[in-house]
Amino acid sequence: MKHPVVIGWTSALLLLAACRPSMEEAVVTSPGGQTRVQVRIQDGRPTYRVVWNGEEVVTDSELGFDLTDGPYFTEPVELTHLSFNNRSETWEQPWGEQREIGNRYREMKLRFTGGRHLTITFRVFEDGVGFRYSFPAALDSFAIAAERTRFHLPDSARAWWIAAYQNDRFEYLFNQTDLSAVGDTVHTPFTVRLASGTHLSIHEAALTDFPSATLVVPAGSTDVGIDLVPWSNGIKAYVQAPFHTPWRTIRLAADAKGLLHNYIDLNLNEPSKLGDAEWVRPGKYVGIWWAMHLGTHSWASGPTHGATTAETKRYIDFAAANGLQGVLVEGWNPGWDGQWFGGGTRFIFNQTHPDFDISEVTRYAREKGVYLIGHHETGGDTRNYEAQLDSAMAFYARHGVPVVKTGYVAHRLDGTEWHHGQYGVRHYRLVTETAAKYRIAVNIHEPIKDTGIRRTWPNEVSREGARGQEFNAWSGDGGNPVDHVAILPFTRLLAGPMDYTPGIFDLMLEAKAGPNPDRNRIHGTLARELSLYVIIHSPVQMAADLPEHYEGQPAFAFIRDVPADWETSLALEGEIGQFVTIARQDRNSEDWYVGTLSVEPRTAVVPLDFLEAGQPYQATLYRDGDRADWRTRPFDLEIETRVVQAGDTLRIPVAPGGGAAVRMVRMTMQ
Ligand code: NOJ
């Protein structure tokens, strides 16, 4: 039995409301005093700075916008109204990495007049800051030419980043450089380690009807600015006031793993519009998917067509026999036959290829206690998709399909718009909202980035938004190198769940018929593939390999057992790009799971303080064998069981490019 969650306001009290001719400075600290934000107005121009644990982490930095009809808020302004507020509450996620989330902050609202007035709200948490701009109704409708917000960071720092404005969206390998050597426009979350050891990550929360913020880091500088992703005509955003921008957020932590215990982005989103969304069911799935990436089957119709009735039933049988809930089917509908780029895609979302009988496969799935996971590849042709969206979701709802994976394989949406501009943000939200009407969850590939919207729309369950497993099958540039999954937890995964699609057991891709057989492989050990089920959270979690590769494999027991929904999550160890260890408790039992992975050989040290005191647990360790090495002996895996309890420490040897997964089942005492 879990304790019931207590949700309440301990204080929602207006501390001070000031209305004076003009003020030069305003200060707000977090409830515990760890974080301090100071806004100063010099020569009529406001700047903000952030001090964390006595360290200045953001030096006086600019605020404001340029509208298309002239500067806004960059001409002299006066701070005339100031008010403060406090909040302390606990709320519950319907699914996720953490059931109960604490939300404690102090808020400062600043109203500026002179020129055209504007309100800026800061929310200051112990572990970060969020701020947003509110445009008054009097502005009516207007267009934004540029956002002026900056984050002036300390001079000496390291940064992990991927460049924005690329054809393959977020699907790039992370660079690690000095902050002053970035010299590029980068995506968020943007993770930085200061010379002091303090880690921070700049991102945004509640991205709604506005372009994504990317960050410009000029060469030779650490004064980071926001660059809003434009429409194809160069305009950044069309706004109808009154309007709040998304929150600009800065997470702060004493070390790398501290960045993972941070919920400010979720806290800055609105509560659920779907109530407790009990119809959104976390689960694991297999799919007619990897075979296409290996090239042995095709999305296109024809002799190697993957999505046939018979093949789907084979996957359904496998899922049912192994307690997996879903079966994804890609390439089931007409409209596109094998050519990814070049336009001309006209998918039809309510008709199937003749060899795929959806009524029969969904009937069969129901009989076996499994559901079908639908797929809407759009080819980036959003106009075609939007025109059919309602009927496409209705079609799946009629067939009892509760989750749809969407896809936008294209360099630009409809040939012209960035996926992450305001056009894309609007489109992706329309899909989430339409799916919700039909009680369908969405798992978005080639997505808009996650900004905590899952709190408001809990049917937006997962997404891609980084180089996933598929790059190991065909990328031709060496796949995902051995440190890729050691970087993701501290960068992309800070934004939210990822459908990485772990669990490839055929590590050397012997089933692959395509080119470059020697370069395409998984860059890690078998035990590491298992560790990803704990390290990479996704409420829809794939067992990505072909069923035949799991048959007779003792290691598959871990994939059968591991949950996709968690009561709590603890980051225990980590250095960006080197190693990470995470423990999570199952939401539906008292059992605990640990995942660890590393690039270099090491011993993961896991004190089991989180287990219930005085209570034995049966631990099963899936770890690298003594001679395992991702390059030479990736399949070398040991399965060990022992009884453990709170007070014990697990010391788990991890091979080069290796990992481990541990299941700890609470034993019932007589
Ligand atoms: C790219 C996605 O990442 C992948 O999962 C999917 O199979 C293809 N697009 C086809 O939609």
Side-chain angles (χ1 to χ4, degrees):
M1 265 298 284
K2 312 284 190 225
H3 301 296
V5 68
V6 183
I7 298 190
W9 292 68
T10 56
S11 55
L13 130 109
L14 201 63
L15 291 179
L16 171 75
C19 180
R20 298 187 221 135
S22 135
M23 289 163 269
E24 300 289 300
E25 182 179 297
V27 176
V28 60
T29 54
S30 57
Q34 197 160 261
T35 317
R36 182 165 184 267
V37 170
Q38 183 181 21
V39 174
R40 287 199 280 223
I41 296 93
Q42 285 154 324
D43 303 326
R45 289 194 169 71
T47 58
Y48 75 101
R49 69 192 271 268
V50 181
V51 176
W52 190 68
N53 279 326
E55 179 184 8
E56 183 171 59
V57 290
V58 179
T59 319
D60 289 326
S61 297
E62 200 177 342
L63 295 159
F65 287 90
D66 289 331
L67 305 194
T68 46
D69 64 353
Y72 184 73
F73 202 64
T74 43
E75 77 279 32
V77 293
E78 289 187 350
L79 172 58
T80 50
H81 294 74
L82 194 58
S83 60
F84 294 87
N85 212 343
N86 262 2
R87 180 171 258 202
S88 178
E89 63 172 350
T90 303
W91 58 278
E92 185 167 344
Q93 290 203 91
W95 51 263
E97 71 282 49
Q98 180 75 28
R99 187 169 65 91
E100 287 184 11
I101 299 212
N103 182 22
R104 267 171 286 284
Y105 60 80
R106 197 166 282 158
E107 177 180 283
M108 176 169 74
K109 244 188 201 144
L110 307 104
R111 211 171 118 214
F112 295 89
T113 53
R116 299 180 273 190
H117 68 265
L118 177 99
T119 300
I120 303 180
T121 305
F122 283 87
R123 288 195 181 157
V124 185
F125 304 79
E126 300 317 327
D127 54 357
V129 173
F131 60 96
R132 73 175 177 191
Y133 303 88
S134 306
F135 296 102
L139 271 181
D140 199 12
S141 62
F142 63 96
I144 291 178
E147 178 166 344
R148 294 287 195 118
T149 308
R150 303 195 79 80
F151 307 84
H152 195 162
L153 303 178
D155 282 346
S156 180
R158 295 290 283 171
W160 286 262
W161 55 277
I162 51 172
Y165 300 112
Q166 303 297 312
N167 281 340
D168 289 333
R169 307 153 303 269
F170 300 95
E171 294 166 29
Y172 291 90
L173 295 174
F174 281 83
N175 299 289
Q176 182 193 163
T177 64
D178 281 342
L179 178 58
S180 57
V182 173
D184 212 332
T185 304
V186 304
H187 279 300
T188 75
F190 176 59
T191 299
V192 173
R193 185 180 66 217
L194 305 182
S196 61
T198 298
H199 285 63
L200 62 87
S201 176
I202 300 175
H203 189 41
E204 59 183 311
L207 173 56
T208 299
D209 198 10
F210 209 66
S212 303
T214 61
L215 301 174
V216 184
V217 194
S221 165
T222 58
D223 191 5
V224 176
I226 281 190
D227 177 38
L228 299 174
V229 176
W231 289 77
S232 49
N233 63 5
I235 298 289
K236 304 290 183 153
Y238 293 98
V239 178
Q240 178 61 55
F243 183 80
H244 300 300
T245 66
W247 296 90
R248 279 67 190 88
T249 64
I250 309 165
R251 289 183 187 210
L252 293 158
D255 53 22
K257 68 180 189 310
L259 290 174
L260 279 62
H261 292 139
N262 188 307
Y263 300 100
I264 69 172
D265 294 330
L266 281 172
N267 279 329
L268 289 166
N269 273 272
E270 298 296 318
S272 172
K273 289 189 190 292
L274 303 176
D276 59 8
E278 84 303 331
W279 49 271
V280 179
R281 289 176 276 172
K284 289 171 288 184
Y285 71 101
V286 283
I288 300 183
W289 178 79
W290 190 236
M292 275 89 97
H293 289 273
L294 293 177
T296 58
H297 288 73
S298 61
W299 284 275
S301 59
T304 56
H305 187 211
T308 65
T309 304
E311 187 67 344
T312 310
K313 286 187 173 178
R314 185 170 84 87
Y315 276 74
I316 292 171
D317 288 342
F318 179 80
N322 291 287
L324 308 177
Q325 291 75 26
V327 172
L328 165 72
V329 182
E330 295 197 4
W332 62 281
N333 59 330
W336 158 85
D337 253 354
Q339 192 189 341
W340 282 118
F341 297 100
T345 59
R346 284 291 177 270
F347 283 98
I348 302 166
F349 297 99
N350 58 8
Q351 287 171 26
T352 65
H353 282 305
D355 51 357
F356 181 69
D357 181 344
I358 191 163
S359 301
E360 173 55 14
V361 295
T362 49
R363 182 205 62 74
Y364 188 75
R366 250 190 320 277
E367 189 180 292
K368 299 269 173 166
V370 170
Y371 50 78
L372 205 71
I373 298 185
H375 186 235
H376 286 164
E377 176 55 59
T378 67
D381 190 346
T382 55
R383 279 193 288 261
N384 177 53
Y385 188 33
E386 287 186 14
Q388 300 178 61
L389 192 52
D390 220 74
S391 76
M393 293 296 174
F395 177 80
Y396 269 146
R398 243 187 349 265
H399 288 286
V401 171
V403 188
V404 174
K405 171 176 166 180
T406 57
Y408 296 86
V409 177
H411 294 157
R412 302 285 187 281
L413 299 178
D414 296 301
T416 56
E417 301 301 327
W418 291 107
H419 286 61
H420 36 295
Q422 186 178 26
Y423 177 82
V425 171
R426 285 178 178 168
H427 170 78
Y428 289 103
R429 183 64 54 79
L430 177 71
V431 174
T432 298
E433 293 187 13
T434 309
K437 272 199 333 212
Y438 292 95
R439 297 192 149 211
I440 288 176
V442 288
N443 170 14
I444 314 160
H445 280 233
E446 299 79 40
I448 192 72
K449 68 186 171 186
D450 197 345
T451 58
I453 295 296
R454 64 195 154 118
R455 180 175 181 194
T456 314
W457 293 99
N459 68 319
E460 201 171 288
V461 283
S462 199
R463 72 191 71 218
E464 190 184 38
R467 274 172 74 123
Q469 182 82 274
E470 62 190 29
F471 276 77
N472 286 323
W474 44 248
S475 74
D477 64 357
N480 295 337
V482 69
D483 64 351
H484 183 60
V485 288
I487 298 174
L488 288 179
F490 306 97
T491 51
R492 155 69 182 86
L493 299 183
L494 298 178
M498 178 178 178
D499 188 31
Y500 181 81
T501 68
I504 298 303
F505 277 25
D506 175 24
L507 298 168
M508 304 307 289
L509 309 188
E510 277 158 26
K512 184 173 165 60
N516 273 331
D518 48 349
R519 293 184 69 203
N520 295 309
R521 59 162 296 186
I522 309 304
H523 303 89
T525 64
L526 186 55
R528 180 195 259 215
E529 279 299 294
L530 299 182
S531 77
L532 300 180
Y533 287 86
V534 184
I535 290 168
I536 301 179
H537 163 58
S538 179
V540 286
Q541 189 69 284
M542 191 173 202
D545 213 336
L546 312 177
E548 52 271 37
H549 292 157
Y550 293 133
E551 299 291 1
Q553 292 283 347
F556 187 63
F558 185 79
I559 298 182
R560 266 200 300 260
D561 293 332
V562 69
D565 195 19
W566 304 101
E567 174 69 14
T568 193
S569 292
L570 304 169
L572 302 175
E573 304 182 299
E575 285 299 341
I576 308 173
Q578 297 177 33
F579 60 89
V580 64
T581 306
I582 294 179
R584 302 192 200 263
Q585 188 183 25
D586 181 13
R587 191 177 289 211
N588 298 303
S589 76
E590 304 296 333
D591 304 342
W592 280 85
Y593 293 77
V594 172
T596 186
L597 65 81
S598 178
V599 175
E600 300 297 331
R602 72 183 293 269
T603 301
V605 179
V606 186
L608 299 177
D609 308 338
F610 47 80
L611 298 180
E612 189 183 324
Q615 174 64 51
Y617 288 74
Q618 173 83 35
T620 308
L621 283 78
Y622 301 78
R623 63 167 180 84
D624 294 321
D626 296 341
R627 295 178 54 213
D629 183 317
W630 77 273
R631 285 160 298 218
T632 51
R633 293 176 60 92
F635 295 99
D636 189 355
L637 176 131
E638 293 287 333
I639 304 179
E640 239 180 73
T641 56
R642 55 174 109 142
V643 174
V644 297
Q645 60 181 353
D648 293 347
T649 296
L650 288 179
R651 286 174 210 285
I652 312 170
V654 182
V662 185
R663 178 181 190 222
M664 285 171 280
V665 176
R666 188 177 185 272
M667 297 166 78
T668 39
M669 296 205 281
Q670 300 305 316

